[in-house]
Short mmCIF file of all heavy atoms in Angstrom, two decimals:
data_model
loop_
_atom_site.label_atom_id
_atom_site.label_comp_id
_atom_site.label_asym_id
_atom_site.label_seq_id
_atom_site.Cartn_x
_atom_site.Cartn_y
_atom_site.Cartn_z
N MET A 1103 84.96 94.10 154.84
CA MET A 1103 84.87 93.96 156.28
C MET A 1103 85.03 95.31 156.96
O MET A 1103 85.52 96.26 156.38
CB MET A 1103 85.96 93.01 156.78
CG MET A 1103 87.37 93.52 156.55
SD MET A 1103 88.60 92.59 157.44
CE MET A 1103 88.51 91.01 156.61
N GLU A 1104 84.55 95.36 158.19
CA GLU A 1104 84.67 96.57 158.98
C GLU A 1104 85.39 96.22 160.28
O GLU A 1104 84.74 95.92 161.29
CB GLU A 1104 83.29 97.17 159.25
CG GLU A 1104 82.63 97.65 157.99
CD GLU A 1104 81.38 98.46 158.23
OE1 GLU A 1104 81.03 98.72 159.40
OE2 GLU A 1104 80.76 98.86 157.24
N PRO A 1105 86.72 96.23 160.27
CA PRO A 1105 87.51 95.81 161.44
C PRO A 1105 87.18 96.61 162.69
O PRO A 1105 87.34 96.11 163.81
CB PRO A 1105 88.96 96.04 161.01
CG PRO A 1105 88.93 96.09 159.52
CD PRO A 1105 87.58 96.62 159.14
N GLU A 1106 86.69 97.83 162.52
CA GLU A 1106 86.36 98.65 163.70
C GLU A 1106 85.17 98.06 164.48
O GLU A 1106 84.97 98.38 165.64
CB GLU A 1106 86.10 100.11 163.32
CG GLU A 1106 85.05 100.38 162.26
CD GLU A 1106 85.57 100.18 160.82
OE1 GLU A 1106 86.72 99.74 160.62
OE2 GLU A 1106 84.80 100.47 159.90
N ARG A 1107 84.41 97.18 163.84
CA ARG A 1107 83.31 96.50 164.54
C ARG A 1107 83.75 95.20 165.18
O ARG A 1107 83.00 94.60 165.95
CB ARG A 1107 82.19 96.14 163.54
CG ARG A 1107 81.41 97.30 163.04
CD ARG A 1107 80.19 96.73 162.36
NE ARG A 1107 79.45 97.74 161.63
CZ ARG A 1107 78.39 97.46 160.88
NH1 ARG A 1107 77.98 96.21 160.75
NH2 ARG A 1107 77.75 98.42 160.27
N CYS A 1108 84.92 94.71 164.81
CA CYS A 1108 85.38 93.39 165.27
C CYS A 1108 85.67 93.40 166.77
O CYS A 1108 86.30 94.33 167.28
CB CYS A 1108 86.63 93.02 164.49
SG CYS A 1108 87.37 91.46 164.98
N ILE A 1109 85.20 92.37 167.45
CA ILE A 1109 85.45 92.26 168.89
C ILE A 1109 86.46 91.15 169.20
O ILE A 1109 86.57 90.69 170.33
CB ILE A 1109 84.15 92.01 169.68
CG1 ILE A 1109 83.42 90.77 169.14
CG2 ILE A 1109 83.25 93.25 169.62
CD1 ILE A 1109 82.30 90.26 170.05
N ALA A 1110 87.18 90.71 168.17
CA ALA A 1110 88.26 89.74 168.35
C ALA A 1110 87.79 88.42 168.96
O ALA A 1110 88.47 87.83 169.78
CB ALA A 1110 89.41 90.34 169.18
N CYS A 1111 86.62 87.96 168.51
CA CYS A 1111 86.09 86.70 169.05
C CYS A 1111 86.78 85.48 168.45
O CYS A 1111 86.74 84.40 169.02
CB CYS A 1111 84.58 86.62 168.84
SG CYS A 1111 84.10 86.22 167.15
N GLY A 1112 87.37 85.65 167.26
CA GLY A 1112 88.12 84.54 166.65
C GLY A 1112 87.30 83.55 165.86
O GLY A 1112 87.84 82.58 165.34
N LEU A 1113 85.99 83.78 165.72
CA LEU A 1113 85.15 82.80 165.03
C LEU A 1113 85.38 82.74 163.53
O LEU A 1113 85.32 81.66 162.94
CB LEU A 1113 83.67 83.12 165.28
CG LEU A 1113 83.04 82.52 166.54
CD1 LEU A 1113 81.59 82.98 166.64
CD2 LEU A 1113 83.12 81.00 166.51
N CYS A 1114 85.61 83.86 162.90
CA CYS A 1114 85.64 83.86 161.44
C CYS A 1114 86.75 82.99 160.87
O CYS A 1114 86.55 82.29 159.87
CB CYS A 1114 85.69 85.27 160.87
SG CYS A 1114 86.97 86.33 161.55
N ALA A 1115 87.90 82.96 161.51
CA ALA A 1115 88.98 82.12 161.00
C ALA A 1115 88.77 80.64 161.32
O ALA A 1115 89.40 79.78 160.72
CB ALA A 1115 90.34 82.58 161.54
N VAL A 1116 87.86 80.35 162.25
CA VAL A 1116 87.48 78.95 162.47
C VAL A 1116 86.71 78.45 161.26
O VAL A 1116 86.93 77.34 160.76
CB VAL A 1116 86.63 78.80 163.75
CG1 VAL A 1116 86.06 77.39 163.86
CG2 VAL A 1116 87.46 79.15 164.98
N TYR A 1117 85.82 79.30 160.74
CA TYR A 1117 84.98 78.90 159.60
C TYR A 1117 85.68 79.11 158.26
O TYR A 1117 85.40 78.37 157.32
CB TYR A 1117 83.65 79.66 159.66
CG TYR A 1117 82.81 79.18 160.78
CD1 TYR A 1117 82.86 79.80 162.03
CD2 TYR A 1117 82.02 78.04 160.64
CE1 TYR A 1117 82.13 79.31 163.10
CE2 TYR A 1117 81.29 77.55 161.70
CZ TYR A 1117 81.34 78.18 162.93
OH TYR A 1117 80.63 77.69 163.98
N ALA A 1118 86.53 80.09 158.16
CA ALA A 1118 87.21 80.38 156.89
C ALA A 1118 88.68 80.70 157.13
O ALA A 1118 89.13 81.83 156.96
CB ALA A 1118 86.50 81.54 156.19
N PRO A 1119 89.44 79.67 157.49
CA PRO A 1119 90.83 79.91 157.89
C PRO A 1119 91.75 80.38 156.76
O PRO A 1119 92.79 80.97 157.04
CB PRO A 1119 91.29 78.54 158.42
CG PRO A 1119 90.35 77.56 157.83
CD PRO A 1119 89.04 78.26 157.63
N THR A 1120 91.36 80.14 155.52
CA THR A 1120 92.22 80.62 154.43
C THR A 1120 91.94 82.08 154.11
O THR A 1120 92.72 82.73 153.42
CB THR A 1120 92.02 79.78 153.15
OG1 THR A 1120 90.65 79.88 152.74
CG2 THR A 1120 92.39 78.32 153.39
N ILE A 1121 90.83 82.60 154.60
CA ILE A 1121 90.44 83.98 154.27
C ILE A 1121 90.80 84.95 155.39
O ILE A 1121 91.35 86.03 155.14
CB ILE A 1121 88.90 84.08 154.06
CG1 ILE A 1121 88.44 83.09 152.99
CG2 ILE A 1121 88.48 85.51 153.72
CD1 ILE A 1121 88.94 83.38 151.60
N PHE A 1122 90.47 84.58 156.62
CA PHE A 1122 90.61 85.52 157.73
C PHE A 1122 91.79 85.19 158.63
O PHE A 1122 92.12 84.03 158.85
CB PHE A 1122 89.32 85.54 158.57
CG PHE A 1122 88.12 85.94 157.78
CD1 PHE A 1122 87.13 85.02 157.49
CD2 PHE A 1122 87.99 87.24 157.31
CE1 PHE A 1122 86.01 85.39 156.75
CE2 PHE A 1122 86.88 87.62 156.56
CZ PHE A 1122 85.89 86.69 156.29
N ASP A 1123 92.40 86.24 159.10
CA ASP A 1123 93.48 86.12 160.08
C ASP A 1123 93.32 87.33 161.01
O ASP A 1123 92.37 88.10 160.87
CB ASP A 1123 94.83 86.14 159.35
CG ASP A 1123 95.95 85.55 160.21
OD1 ASP A 1123 95.70 85.19 161.38
OD2 ASP A 1123 97.07 85.47 159.71
N TYR A 1124 94.24 87.49 161.94
CA TYR A 1124 94.07 88.54 162.94
C TYR A 1124 95.37 89.30 163.17
O TYR A 1124 96.45 88.74 163.02
CB TYR A 1124 93.60 87.93 164.28
CG TYR A 1124 92.37 87.10 164.10
CD1 TYR A 1124 92.42 85.72 164.13
CD2 TYR A 1124 91.15 87.72 163.83
CE1 TYR A 1124 91.27 84.96 163.91
CE2 TYR A 1124 90.01 86.98 163.61
CZ TYR A 1124 90.07 85.60 163.66
OH TYR A 1124 88.95 84.86 163.43
N ASP A 1125 95.24 90.53 163.57
CA ASP A 1125 96.43 91.29 163.95
C ASP A 1125 96.82 90.91 165.39
O ASP A 1125 96.21 90.02 165.99
CB ASP A 1125 96.21 92.80 163.77
CG ASP A 1125 95.21 93.40 164.76
OD1 ASP A 1125 94.84 92.72 165.75
OD2 ASP A 1125 94.80 94.54 164.56
N GLU A 1126 97.81 91.59 165.93
CA GLU A 1126 98.32 91.18 167.25
C GLU A 1126 97.30 91.40 168.37
O GLU A 1126 97.42 90.84 169.44
CB GLU A 1126 99.66 91.87 167.55
CG GLU A 1126 99.64 93.38 167.62
CD GLU A 1126 99.63 94.05 166.25
OE1 GLU A 1126 99.71 93.35 165.21
OE2 GLU A 1126 99.52 95.28 166.20
N GLU A 1127 96.27 92.19 168.08
CA GLU A 1127 95.20 92.39 169.07
C GLU A 1127 93.99 91.51 168.81
O GLU A 1127 92.97 91.64 169.48
CB GLU A 1127 94.79 93.86 169.09
CG GLU A 1127 95.89 94.72 169.69
CD GLU A 1127 95.64 96.20 169.58
OE1 GLU A 1127 94.81 96.62 168.76
OE2 GLU A 1127 96.30 96.94 170.32
N GLY A 1128 94.11 90.64 167.82
CA GLY A 1128 93.01 89.72 167.53
C GLY A 1128 91.94 90.29 166.62
O GLY A 1128 90.89 89.69 166.43
N ILE A 1129 92.23 91.47 166.05
CA ILE A 1129 91.25 92.10 165.16
C ILE A 1129 91.41 91.54 163.75
O ILE A 1129 92.52 91.33 163.26
CB ILE A 1129 91.44 93.64 165.15
CG1 ILE A 1129 91.23 94.21 166.57
CG2 ILE A 1129 90.48 94.30 164.16
CD1 ILE A 1129 89.88 93.93 167.19
N VAL A 1130 90.27 91.31 163.13
CA VAL A 1130 90.25 90.61 161.85
C VAL A 1130 90.98 91.38 160.74
O VAL A 1130 90.95 92.60 160.67
CB VAL A 1130 88.77 90.34 161.43
CG1 VAL A 1130 88.03 91.63 161.09
CG2 VAL A 1130 88.70 89.34 160.31
N LEU A 1131 91.64 90.60 159.88
CA LEU A 1131 92.19 91.11 158.63
C LEU A 1131 92.19 89.97 157.62
O LEU A 1131 91.96 88.82 157.97
CB LEU A 1131 93.59 91.71 158.84
CG LEU A 1131 94.63 90.95 159.68
CD1 LEU A 1131 95.23 89.79 158.96
CD2 LEU A 1131 95.73 91.91 160.11
N PHE A 1132 92.42 90.31 156.36
CA PHE A 1132 92.48 89.28 155.34
C PHE A 1132 93.85 88.61 155.37
O PHE A 1132 94.88 89.29 155.36
CB PHE A 1132 92.24 89.87 153.95
CG PHE A 1132 90.80 90.21 153.69
CD1 PHE A 1132 90.42 91.53 153.52
CD2 PHE A 1132 89.83 89.22 153.64
CE1 PHE A 1132 89.09 91.85 153.28
CE2 PHE A 1132 88.50 89.53 153.41
CZ PHE A 1132 88.14 90.85 153.23
N ALA A 1133 93.84 87.29 155.38
CA ALA A 1133 95.09 86.53 155.47
C ALA A 1133 96.03 86.85 154.30
O ALA A 1133 97.24 86.96 154.49
CB ALA A 1133 94.78 85.04 155.52
N GLN A 1134 95.47 86.99 153.11
CA GLN A 1134 96.30 87.19 151.93
C GLN A 1134 96.73 88.64 151.74
O GLN A 1134 97.72 88.91 151.06
CB GLN A 1134 95.55 86.75 150.64
CG GLN A 1134 95.04 85.33 150.69
CD GLN A 1134 96.15 84.32 150.93
OE1 GLN A 1134 97.25 84.44 150.38
NE2 GLN A 1134 95.90 83.33 151.79
N ASP A 1135 95.97 89.57 152.29
CA ASP A 1135 96.24 90.99 152.05
C ASP A 1135 95.80 91.79 153.28
O ASP A 1135 94.72 92.37 153.31
CB ASP A 1135 95.47 91.44 150.80
CG ASP A 1135 95.89 92.84 150.37
OD1 ASP A 1135 96.74 93.47 151.05
OD2 ASP A 1135 95.37 93.32 149.35
N PRO A 1136 96.64 91.78 154.31
CA PRO A 1136 96.25 92.33 155.61
C PRO A 1136 95.83 93.80 155.61
O PRO A 1136 95.11 94.23 156.50
CB PRO A 1136 97.52 92.15 156.46
CG PRO A 1136 98.25 91.02 155.80
CD PRO A 1136 97.96 91.16 154.33
N SER A 1137 96.25 94.56 154.61
CA SER A 1137 95.87 95.98 154.61
C SER A 1137 94.56 96.23 153.87
O SER A 1137 94.03 97.34 153.91
CB SER A 1137 96.99 96.82 154.00
OG SER A 1137 97.19 96.43 152.66
N ALA A 1138 94.02 95.22 153.20
CA ALA A 1138 92.79 95.39 152.41
C ALA A 1138 91.56 95.36 153.30
O ALA A 1138 91.55 94.71 154.35
CB ALA A 1138 92.69 94.30 151.36
N HIS A 1139 90.52 96.06 152.86
CA HIS A 1139 89.23 95.99 153.56
C HIS A 1139 88.20 95.23 152.74
O HIS A 1139 87.10 94.96 153.19
CB HIS A 1139 88.72 97.37 153.92
CG HIS A 1139 89.37 97.92 155.15
ND1 HIS A 1139 88.92 99.03 155.82
CD2 HIS A 1139 90.45 97.49 155.84
CE1 HIS A 1139 89.70 99.27 156.87
NE2 HIS A 1139 90.64 98.35 156.88
N GLN A 1140 88.56 94.92 151.50
CA GLN A 1140 87.68 94.14 150.64
C GLN A 1140 88.51 93.08 149.94
O GLN A 1140 89.69 93.29 149.67
CB GLN A 1140 87.05 95.02 149.54
CG GLN A 1140 86.18 96.10 150.06
CD GLN A 1140 85.52 96.85 148.91
OE1 GLN A 1140 85.16 96.26 147.90
NE2 GLN A 1140 85.36 98.15 149.07
N GLN A 1141 87.85 91.99 149.62
CA GLN A 1141 88.55 90.95 148.88
C GLN A 1141 87.57 90.19 148.02
O GLN A 1141 86.46 89.89 148.44
CB GLN A 1141 89.23 89.98 149.86
CG GLN A 1141 90.05 88.90 149.18
CD GLN A 1141 90.94 88.15 150.17
OE1 GLN A 1141 91.83 88.70 150.76
NE2 GLN A 1141 90.64 86.87 150.34
N PHE A 1142 87.99 89.89 146.79
CA PHE A 1142 87.19 89.04 145.92
C PHE A 1142 87.30 87.60 146.41
O PHE A 1142 88.40 87.13 146.69
CB PHE A 1142 87.69 89.15 144.48
CG PHE A 1142 86.83 88.38 143.53
CD1 PHE A 1142 85.61 88.90 143.11
CD2 PHE A 1142 87.24 87.14 143.06
CE1 PHE A 1142 84.81 88.17 142.24
CE2 PHE A 1142 86.43 86.41 142.19
CZ PHE A 1142 85.21 86.93 141.77
N ILE A 1143 86.15 86.95 146.54
CA ILE A 1143 86.13 85.59 147.06
C ILE A 1143 85.90 84.60 145.92
O ILE A 1143 84.96 84.75 145.14
CB ILE A 1143 84.99 85.44 148.12
CG1 ILE A 1143 85.18 86.45 149.26
CG2 ILE A 1143 84.92 84.02 148.65
CD1 ILE A 1143 86.48 86.32 150.02
N GLN A 1144 86.76 83.60 145.83
CA GLN A 1144 86.61 82.56 144.82
C GLN A 1144 85.37 81.72 145.13
O GLN A 1144 84.97 81.59 146.28
CB GLN A 1144 87.84 81.63 144.83
CG GLN A 1144 89.16 82.34 144.68
CD GLN A 1144 89.35 82.96 143.32
OE1 GLN A 1144 88.83 82.46 142.32
NE2 GLN A 1144 90.07 84.07 143.26
N LYS A 1145 84.81 81.15 144.06
CA LYS A 1145 83.61 80.31 144.22
C LYS A 1145 83.78 79.22 145.27
O LYS A 1145 82.89 78.95 146.05
CB LYS A 1145 83.27 79.65 142.88
CG LYS A 1145 82.20 80.38 142.12
CD LYS A 1145 81.76 79.57 140.92
CE LYS A 1145 80.81 80.39 140.05
NZ LYS A 1145 80.73 79.87 138.69
N ASN A 1146 84.94 78.59 145.24
CA ASN A 1146 85.15 77.46 146.16
C ASN A 1146 85.37 77.90 147.60
O ASN A 1146 85.51 77.07 148.49
CB ASN A 1146 86.29 76.56 145.67
CG ASN A 1146 87.63 77.29 145.62
OD1 ASN A 1146 87.71 78.48 145.96
ND2 ASN A 1146 88.67 76.61 145.21
N GLN A 1147 85.42 79.20 147.85
CA GLN A 1147 85.57 79.73 149.21
C GLN A 1147 84.26 80.31 149.73
O GLN A 1147 84.18 80.72 150.89
CB GLN A 1147 86.64 80.81 149.24
CG GLN A 1147 88.01 80.32 148.81
CD GLN A 1147 88.98 81.47 148.62
OE1 GLN A 1147 88.62 82.52 148.08
NE2 GLN A 1147 90.21 81.29 149.05
N LYS A 1148 83.26 80.34 148.87
CA LYS A 1148 82.02 81.04 149.23
C LYS A 1148 81.33 80.47 150.45
O LYS A 1148 80.85 81.22 151.30
CB LYS A 1148 81.05 81.02 148.04
CG LYS A 1148 81.10 82.28 147.21
CD LYS A 1148 79.95 82.31 146.23
CE LYS A 1148 80.03 83.56 145.38
NZ LYS A 1148 79.09 83.52 144.25
N GLU A 1149 81.25 79.15 150.51
CA GLU A 1149 80.56 78.50 151.63
C GLU A 1149 81.21 78.87 152.96
O GLU A 1149 80.53 79.20 153.93
CB GLU A 1149 80.57 76.98 151.45
CG GLU A 1149 79.54 76.48 150.47
CD GLU A 1149 78.11 76.87 150.86
OE1 GLU A 1149 77.78 76.74 152.05
OE2 GLU A 1149 77.36 77.31 149.98
N GLN A 1150 82.54 78.80 152.98
CA GLN A 1150 83.28 79.14 154.21
C GLN A 1150 83.02 80.58 154.63
O GLN A 1150 82.79 80.86 155.81
CB GLN A 1150 84.79 79.06 153.95
CG GLN A 1150 85.36 77.70 153.75
CD GLN A 1150 86.87 77.81 153.52
OE1 GLN A 1150 87.54 78.63 154.14
NE2 GLN A 1150 87.39 77.00 152.63
N VAL A 1151 83.09 81.46 153.65
CA VAL A 1151 82.93 82.88 153.96
C VAL A 1151 81.50 83.17 154.41
O VAL A 1151 81.28 83.97 155.33
CB VAL A 1151 83.31 83.75 152.74
CG1 VAL A 1151 82.99 85.22 152.99
CG2 VAL A 1151 84.80 83.59 152.46
N LEU A 1152 80.54 82.48 153.80
CA LEU A 1152 79.15 82.65 154.20
C LEU A 1152 78.95 82.20 155.64
O LEU A 1152 78.25 82.86 156.42
CB LEU A 1152 78.25 81.85 153.25
CG LEU A 1152 76.77 82.19 153.28
CD1 LEU A 1152 76.51 83.65 152.94
CD2 LEU A 1152 76.01 81.28 152.32
N SER A 1153 79.57 81.10 156.01
CA SER A 1153 79.49 80.63 157.40
C SER A 1153 80.09 81.65 158.35
O SER A 1153 79.50 81.97 159.39
CB SER A 1153 80.24 79.31 157.57
OG SER A 1153 79.65 78.33 156.77
N ALA A 1154 81.25 82.16 158.01
CA ALA A 1154 81.91 83.16 158.86
C ALA A 1154 81.04 84.42 158.98
O ALA A 1154 80.86 84.97 160.07
CB ALA A 1154 83.27 83.52 158.28
N TYR A 1155 80.47 84.82 157.86
CA TYR A 1155 79.58 85.99 157.83
C TYR A 1155 78.40 85.80 158.78
O TYR A 1155 78.04 86.69 159.55
CB TYR A 1155 79.11 86.18 156.39
CG TYR A 1155 77.90 87.05 156.22
CD1 TYR A 1155 77.99 88.44 156.27
CD2 TYR A 1155 76.66 86.48 155.95
CE1 TYR A 1155 76.88 89.23 156.09
CE2 TYR A 1155 75.54 87.26 155.76
CZ TYR A 1155 75.65 88.64 155.83
OH TYR A 1155 74.55 89.41 155.66
N LYS A 1156 77.81 84.61 158.73
CA LYS A 1156 76.64 84.32 159.58
C LYS A 1156 77.02 84.26 161.06
O LYS A 1156 76.21 84.59 161.92
CB LYS A 1156 76.00 83.00 159.17
CG LYS A 1156 75.25 83.07 157.86
CD LYS A 1156 74.71 81.69 157.53
CE LYS A 1156 74.03 81.67 156.18
NZ LYS A 1156 73.82 80.26 155.72
N LYS A 1157 78.21 83.80 161.35
CA LYS A 1157 78.62 83.61 162.74
C LYS A 1157 79.17 84.87 163.39
O LYS A 1157 79.22 84.97 164.62
CB LYS A 1157 79.69 82.51 162.84
CG LYS A 1157 79.21 81.15 162.43
CD LYS A 1157 78.21 80.59 163.42
CE LYS A 1157 77.70 79.23 162.96
NZ LYS A 1157 76.72 78.67 163.87
N CYS A 1158 79.62 85.81 162.59
CA CYS A 1158 80.21 87.01 163.17
C CYS A 1158 79.17 87.75 164.02
O CYS A 1158 78.13 88.17 163.52
CB CYS A 1158 80.73 87.94 162.07
SG CYS A 1158 81.42 89.48 162.75
N PRO A 1159 79.43 87.90 165.31
CA PRO A 1159 78.43 88.47 166.21
C PRO A 1159 78.21 89.97 166.03
O PRO A 1159 77.20 90.50 166.49
CB PRO A 1159 78.99 88.17 167.60
CG PRO A 1159 80.45 88.01 167.41
CD PRO A 1159 80.64 87.47 166.03
N THR A 1160 79.12 90.64 165.37
CA THR A 1160 79.01 92.10 165.27
C THR A 1160 78.82 92.59 163.84
O THR A 1160 78.85 93.79 163.58
CB THR A 1160 80.28 92.77 165.84
OG1 THR A 1160 81.40 92.34 165.05
CG2 THR A 1160 80.50 92.41 167.30
N ARG A 1161 78.63 91.68 162.91
CA ARG A 1161 78.48 92.03 161.49
C ARG A 1161 79.66 92.84 160.98
O ARG A 1161 79.48 93.80 160.22
CB ARG A 1161 77.18 92.80 161.25
CG ARG A 1161 75.95 91.99 161.53
CD ARG A 1161 75.51 91.23 160.30
NE ARG A 1161 74.53 90.22 160.71
CZ ARG A 1161 74.16 89.20 159.98
NH1 ARG A 1161 74.66 89.01 158.83
NH2 ARG A 1161 73.30 88.33 160.40
N ALA A 1162 80.83 92.44 161.42
CA ALA A 1162 82.04 93.10 160.89
C ALA A 1162 82.38 92.58 159.50
O ALA A 1162 83.16 93.21 158.78
CB ALA A 1162 83.21 92.85 161.85
N ILE A 1163 81.79 91.44 159.15
CA ILE A 1163 82.02 90.86 157.82
C ILE A 1163 80.81 91.19 156.96
O ILE A 1163 79.68 90.93 157.34
CB ILE A 1163 82.19 89.34 157.92
CG1 ILE A 1163 83.43 89.01 158.76
CG2 ILE A 1163 82.29 88.71 156.53
CD1 ILE A 1163 83.53 87.55 159.17
N LEU A 1164 81.06 91.79 155.82
CA LEU A 1164 80.00 92.18 154.91
C LEU A 1164 80.18 91.44 153.59
O LEU A 1164 81.30 91.22 153.14
CB LEU A 1164 80.07 93.69 154.65
CG LEU A 1164 80.06 94.57 155.90
CD1 LEU A 1164 80.30 96.02 155.52
CD2 LEU A 1164 78.75 94.43 156.64
N LEU A 1165 79.05 91.08 152.97
CA LEU A 1165 79.09 90.41 151.68
C LEU A 1165 78.44 91.29 150.63
O LEU A 1165 77.42 91.91 150.88
CB LEU A 1165 78.34 89.08 151.74
CG LEU A 1165 78.90 88.00 152.65
CD1 LEU A 1165 78.02 86.76 152.57
CD2 LEU A 1165 80.32 87.66 152.27
N GLU A 1166 79.06 91.31 149.46
CA GLU A 1166 78.48 92.00 148.33
C GLU A 1166 78.50 91.06 147.15
O GLU A 1166 79.48 90.37 146.94
CB GLU A 1166 79.35 93.22 147.96
CG GLU A 1166 78.84 94.52 148.47
CD GLU A 1166 79.81 95.64 148.13
OE1 GLU A 1166 80.26 95.70 146.98
OE2 GLU A 1166 80.11 96.44 149.04
N ASN A 1167 77.45 91.09 146.35
CA ASN A 1167 77.46 90.25 145.15
C ASN A 1167 78.08 90.99 143.98
O ASN A 1167 78.02 92.16 143.89
CB ASN A 1167 76.03 89.83 144.77
CG ASN A 1167 75.61 88.63 145.59
OD1 ASN A 1167 76.41 87.71 145.79
ND2 ASN A 1167 74.40 88.65 146.09
S1 SF4 B 1222 83.77 86.74 163.71
FE1 SF4 B 1222 83.50 88.97 163.57
S2 SF4 B 1222 83.92 89.76 165.62
FE2 SF4 B 1222 84.71 87.67 165.53
S3 SF4 B 1222 86.88 87.89 164.98
FE3 SF4 B 1222 85.73 87.61 163.08
S4 SF4 B 1222 85.22 89.68 162.36
FE4 SF4 B 1222 85.85 89.83 164.51
#
């Protein structure tokens, strides 16, 4: 993810609440590891993350295979 692109819209945690969370300013971070900029996604979380990725208005969420 690229938190510097995040506009704190709050959508990603609606679609993937176990993956995304926010700092006190509403900027995205990983729920499990707030200081990380990358995270390995389990198979059973892929759909959620894909939805969040598609909905993010600023492309702050990036996917890599
Ligand atoms: S959907 Fe994108 S812009 Fe909105 S809070 Fe999440 S990362 Fe930030």
